[in-house]
């Protein structure tokens, strides 16, 4: 059983692509909450509204951290996807967090991000360009066959 | 003696502002190489040219990592600055790395980054808006006086 | 499976409220012995009476520590409840212990304790006011839905 | 050189009593900020006011944690004093934090707290009744003479 | 499931007494090889004879260490029994090893060993006089009932 | 269940010999990919060709490291075989990696390698000459019988 | 600077022999309190008498542990001497404690203890027969010359 | 001050070349004993002869390990040199040991070793071809200038 955490980009279906290309493999998937609205508002929804957006965000981010830290700390491999848009600092933060814990990292990124991601890539075991490459890498790691 | 690592943005003089506002305090400063060209090209300059920009970047990033990891692992406080421009994924990566090691973090950021940095901020002990606030916080931590 | 340790107050039924509101979730609950008399007297009951109350207490507390430390060290989340009465130093001790191990913490407290608990709260991922909020937070962490 | 962190009660002069009774010993003292007003307000003083007392307290507590965590993590011995008044949950939190890190602990407490502090005491190497006993213990640990 | 390592004395049936008094509890027992001849000679039996008794012993002790270290590192509680006879330095070594790993320890010893075992006892959660006391303590830790 | 990682030499059938001699034992085996071609080319096969053999090798070695590190970090015992031919630096690297993690090590080596392997052997629990000796050692560790 | 902890036997002058044979080397020595009476009675002398010898011993042993744990945790090498007499379980406990922390160990022992100490010796880097051998080993480790 | 451990090959003067090219830099150098005869015979010279070469080697290797482990565990950077001749398994072992501890690694190797060292290189921050490249890399890490 390989435990894989799928970090980063939540606006495309790359997670589903990776999972479906890994069908049949013994992989235990985890990842952040990918419902954008729930992820943003979970803190105030559960613990009460905040007039200041800064603390609104804080309540949510701190609650989400319970899930994300647990997923990263428990995984065998972190796959982190950087998409075309947005700041995606949480993705880079997750990669740094995983690197400090000695977790193997596979980065999924378009090549126009290569220079900006060079520090992240240097901490990774592989840089993939497509979800299918991620899936083939996971398959190889688990089964030893290409 | 407080060991402070100054991570992130290298295009403004925020490091100098913090240091000069901390004059007289027993602080041992460290940080990445801030000479952009040297930082980008150190790998190929020392170990030989690479025709592929991806490996050119890798050689440099891996060499720089010796310095940055040592600085982060040895620090008492990580200060990480997010500027107005660029992707700055290495800054977020450093913050994640420091968080996983249990290092206290002070983030220096303009407020228009607040939502995008909410996960980083939730892992930090303080969010500052100016170098002077960073300096005052370091002074307070060391001396106990405001 | 989420492993949750329920620390603190043993004079109200908050543990049952949390558990019952989490019915159906894959949660593995642990916690201290909540039978007050057994908890106080276990040491001398098993290993022999002590004329000095100080050592009577020591024998019990050291035996209980086998259970509490194991629970805290093995948990994914520590929920700690501060009630209206008593010193409750063991609750704060548990929170500090969990914080040093990097465990996520949810504090359950009435708002009149807010100032006195500010150091504990600052080490926590969430501050809840009711057992139901605790349950909703655990549900969100596990399922990603509000 | 023995590094000693003096945690807990800030309303009596027990720290001065311990230090003065240890005169001549090679001890490097650390501890929290003991200026009550500065400790309470440091966060908002430096980073800006908060209308909500909860976040006012959070900003201060998180900043103070930089100092207290560093002191506890770097110490050889934690001395923690529980006074006659107040909740003192931060003192118990510090003790739990130190215990999880395997730091030796000396508790200074009046005997009417004995039952309420039994879990803390069971994690400690010694329970002292006076600052002078603390000083004698530190002297013995350092010099081997009574 | 509580994982208990039974260390020390191998010439009486204390292990069987503890286990039989714990019947019905979810305990996963481990311990050293208790066949004295096998334990002494395993190294040379498997890897070839040694003319020098010192290396004969070394080969066996190093092989046995694979089993004992794994047992101690994986346990939730170490029970260590000191009998009436022999040097039993391996028992004290196991206790020190467990203590450094932060494992809870229950010592089983006759009271005439109390002074000689005071350092071991001070690192333990409980000192038992009979296998039945050990069993009652394990039962209490697991079930919370006396 | 004993988790055993079989490191080193991939040109003889020593792994099969050990496994078959351990039939019936509860052992969970892991090890590197032993298909030499797949192991060498996995990186470029999945992530794209490299004109420079150095980076061709790097891509493969970094991907294989996900599997080997996970295997070594998760094992209870590392068995490492040094054959008659080749440099086998990866085998020695694995042994060093395991030693730093405190994993028990059994080395399988012909005696003409004894002097060259003395540092590796000194970090090991046993030095075996045949796969059958390895199997007998694992059997003894698990069952306590010779 | 080599930090060496001298554990074990306190009834002969072996510590002085080792130190004097190491004259001129940069060694920072530490060790337990070797004044037998002070070591036994320090707890009750400082914190008050105990009618029960068991708790009298506990108070002293727990206080001494502050010094011994700090010494062992901070050392580069543990030298532990087993003399001809007494149980010396604290010496074996120290060796186990050091072994679990990965500290190099040199054992000083008469050869009639060899069989009884085989588990301790198997965890050690060297077994010496005289203080002079210990000193020569330390000199070699520091200077590289025999 | 940068702490650098120089591991591996002891038959050429590469260590002196690196050191002399680093003149003026604040570097604290360490490394194994490079006197081949002393390194081989230190164990039996100090602790007594062994008729069996295997144990002769063991005594020496275990003693040398005190020095090498301390050097590696304390260093900021490991430089490991693979020469043209010999098995050099101890060099690869050191690299694996350092990698598991998260130490940055610079490998110095001729390019005909590239394929055989691919696993070691993949764990390293840089691969150098000459001592001068090693020196330039260390200078850059320390000073930030090329």
């Amino acid at each position: 059983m390989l435990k894989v955490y799928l970090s980063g980009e939540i606006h495309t279906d790359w997670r589903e692509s990776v999972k479906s290309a890994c069908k049949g493999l013994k992989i235990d998937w985890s990842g952040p909450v990918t419902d954008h609205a729930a992820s943003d508002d979970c803190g105030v929804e559960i613990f009460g509204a905040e007039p200041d957006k800064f603390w609104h965000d804080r309540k949510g981010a701190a609650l989400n951290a319970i899930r994300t830290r647990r997923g990263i700390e428990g995984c065998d491999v972190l796959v982190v996807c950087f998409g075309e848009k947005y700041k995606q600092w949480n993705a880079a933060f997750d990669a740094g967090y995983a690197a400090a814990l000695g977790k193997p990292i596979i980065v999924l990124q378009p090549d126009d991000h290569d220079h900006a991601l060079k520090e992240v890539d240097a901490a990774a075991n592989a840089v993939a360009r497509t979800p299918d490459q991620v899936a083939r890498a996971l398959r190889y790691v688990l089964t030893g066959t290409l």
Side-chain angles (χ1 to χ4, degrees), chain A:
Chain A
M1 179 66 73
L2 191 74
K3 284 173 283 180
V4 178
Y5 186 89
L6 300 173
S7 168
E9 216 258 33
I10 62 170
H11 302 95
T12 67
D13 63 351
W14 70 273
R15 281 181 183 79
E16 298 325 305
S17 301
V18 171
K19 288 181 188 176
S20 108
C22 286
K23 197 151 291 176
L25 295 177
K26 289 192 174 177
I27 296 182
D28 184 5
W29 305 98
S30 62
V33 172
T34 55
D35 173 339
H36 200 153
S39 173
D40 268 9
D41 298 332
C42 61
V44 296
E45 280 285 327
I46 294 173
F47 300 111
E50 289 292 330
D52 184 340
K53 187 62 160 54
F54 183 83
W55 297 117
H56 174 116
D57 281 348
R58 170 65 53 87
K59 273 179 152 175
L63 181 58
N64 283 317
I66 299 180
R67 179 184 175 105
T68 56
R69 300 288 170 85
R70 178 176 170 247
I72 297 175
E73 286 164 13
C75 78
D76 294 314
V77 183
L78 181 101
V79 179
V80 56
C81 174
F82 289 83
E84 296 287 355
K85 290 189 288 188
Y86 306 105
K87 294 292 189 186
Q88 307 183 78
W89 284 320
N90 57 329
F93 181 89
D94 283 359
Y97 199 91
L101 299 177
K103 301 288 179 184
I105 297 171
I106 297 174
V107 190
L108 175 56
Q109 70 191 60
D111 56 17
D112 50 305
H113 282 347
D114 281 3
H115 186 64
L117 281 171
K118 64 184 194 293
E119 287 86 3
V120 176
D121 291 353
N125 290 62
V127 175
R129 301 307 186 184
T130 66
D132 189 59
Q133 288 183 344
V134 172
R136 289 179 67 201
L138 295 175
R139 178 178 304 275
Y140 174 73
V141 165
L142 255 180
T143 67
T145 53
L146 290 170

